[in-house]
């Protein structure tokens, strides 16, 4: 089983996770820029974070046989913080970098007027830079937030086929199905969606324009949820071709619209820098 996780926050994960993911079939991923859990107080902290997403993290992933890509944006959680608004001015230079395959995560947290403005401005950047957009739907008032997100997408002029509306569930999937946007689902241990519910959604809506991700981050999450979803699909009677479409072909098709995917195999896991004890927690 080959897997492309289209939304996972590897900055929050360990090298052990990379090894486990490779063993489970993960060969490529996208890491969206997101809220780190601690409020950031200056633009410089974003610069350091974005530099890590386009530099260090792809280097780290390659050592374990995994191709790393990212999306760049000012996330909704920080959109209302006046200390963070100047981040919008530095985004264009990152949106031109290799390995940046979309603008994201953008969207809503609390659905404030400030979030409306930042969301619209970043969709405009996606159009300007010819990139897809990854839209985060809010944890609260999810149906209202999904409807509002779709309205902003329509008003922005970006092609619906270049947008994924993420963190959907049984309540919101029907709102996105048929709009032309891609449907994104995050599979979690306790919240959002689980693999069995995901199978039911695939039965109802089919496998077209569906992205399944682990969204694993610094909270309780599981970077192997993509693999567990594939196994659940097979147990439920889906074919290997169905699984490959959901877990590989679909994310390749969506992010491939950026023209920046690199999917050639890297060196075998652990081989590239096998002698570097620093990467394994030891001393040089």
């Amino acid at each position: 089983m080959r897997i492309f996780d289209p939304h996972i926050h590897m900055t929050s994960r360990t090298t052990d996770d990379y090894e486990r993911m490779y063993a489970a079939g993960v060969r490529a991923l996208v890491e969206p820029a997101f809220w780190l859990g601690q409020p950031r107080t200056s633009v410089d902290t974003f610069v350091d974070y974005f530099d890590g997403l386009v530099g260090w993290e792809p280097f780290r992933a390659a050592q374990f046989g995994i191709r790393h890509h990212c999306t760049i944006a000012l996330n909704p959680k920080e959109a209302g913080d006046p200390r963070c608004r100047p981040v919008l001015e530095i985004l264009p230079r990152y949106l031109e970098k290799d390995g940046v395959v979309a603008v994201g995560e953008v969207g809503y947290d609390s659905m404030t007027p400030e979030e409306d403005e930042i969301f619209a401005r970043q969709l405009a950047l996606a159009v300007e830079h010819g990139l897809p957009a990854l839209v985060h739907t809010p944890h609260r008032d999810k149906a209202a937030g999904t409807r509002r997100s779709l309205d902003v997408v329509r008003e922005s002029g970006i092609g619906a086929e270049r947008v994924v509306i993420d963190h959907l569930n049984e309540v919101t999937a029907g709102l996105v199905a048929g709009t032309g946007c891609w449907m994104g689902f995050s599979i979690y241990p306790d919240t959002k969606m689980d693999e069995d519910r995901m199978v039911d959604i695939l039965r109802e809506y089919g496998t077209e324009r569906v992205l399944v991700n682990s969204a694993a981050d610094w909270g309780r999450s599981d970077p192997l949820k993509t693999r567990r979803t594939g196994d659940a699909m097979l147990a439920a009677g889906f074919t290997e071709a169905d699984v490959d479409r959901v877990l590989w072909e679909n994310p390749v098709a969506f992010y491939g619209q950026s023209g920046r995917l690199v999917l050639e195999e890297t060196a075998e896991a652990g081989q590239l820098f096998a002698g570097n004890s620093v990467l394994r927690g030891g001393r040089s």
Side-chain angles (χ1 to χ4, degrees), residues 91-272:
L91 291 181
R93 79 171 187 248
Y94 285 98
L95 297 180
E96 291 296 325
K97 290 185 178 292
D98 292 341
V100 177
V101 294
V103 176
E105 299 178 54
V106 298
Y108 289 112
D109 180 58
S110 300
M111 291 186 286
T112 64
E114 291 83 6
E115 290 173 22
D116 281 329
E117 178 193 353
I118 300 301
F119 187 5
R121 287 181 64 178
Q122 293 190 99
L123 287 180
L125 284 173
V127 173
E128 179 183 345
H129 291 268
L131 291 173
L134 168 62
V135 176
H136 167 96
T137 53
H139 303 291
R140 304 170 298 280
D141 298 324
K142 188 169 282 288
T146 301
R147 292 190 190 96
R148 194 159 163 180
S149 296
L150 290 168
D151 288 341
V152 176
V153 167
R154 282 189 288 266
E155 292 165 4
S156 73
I158 191 171
E161 74 284 355
R162 298 177 70 80
V163 177
V164 56
I165 309 294
D166 212 348
H167 309 315
L168 298 178
N169 57 24
E170 295 90 341
V171 174
T172 54
L175 300 175
V176 179
T179 65
C181 294
W182 290 68
M183 298 189 292
F185 298 89
S186 300
I187 316 301
Y188 258 49
D190 299 320
T191 61
K192 295 184 173 72
M193 293 286 297
D194 64 32
E195 48 267 47
D196 294 324
R197 290 164 59 200
M198 189 66 234
V199 166
D200 290 338
I201 282 181
L202 289 168
R203 284 192 179 117
E204 181 173 359
Y205 294 101
T207 59
E208 291 187 14
R209 295 203 178 188
V210 172
L211 300 182
V212 172
N213 63 70
S214 69
D217 56 16
W218 39 258
R220 186 165 187 269
S221 50
D222 182 354
L224 302 187
K225 279 295 188 181
T226 47
R227 175 59 192 239
R228 300 190 205 287
T229 300
D231 290 339
M233 288 177 67
L234 293 174
F238 284 89
T239 66
E240 291 183 1
D242 293 329
V243 173
D244 193 63
R245 181 173 195 172
V246 171
L247 296 184
W248 184 266
E249 293 179 5
N250 283 356
V252 168
F254 178 74
Y255 287 114
Q257 295 177 100
S258 69
R260 298 177 183 170
L261 285 184
V262 178
L263 298 175
E264 290 83 359
E265 289 187 10
T266 70
E268 288 297 320
Q271 180 179 349
L272 188 57

Side-chain angles (χ1 to χ4, degrees), residues 63-104:
Q63 296 166 54
F64 299 92
I66 296 174
R67 287 291 184 184
H68 180 287
H69 311 82
C70 70
T71 76
I72 296 290
L74 174 60
N75 72 87
K77 184 78 172 178
E78 293 170 299
D81 189 332
R83 297 172 297 183
C84 300
R85 290 178 68 89
V87 172
L88 294 174
E89 306 306 318
I90 68 169
L91 291 181
R93 79 171 187 248
Y94 285 98
L95 297 180
E96 291 296 325
K97 290 185 178 292
D98 292 341
V100 177
V101 294
V103 176

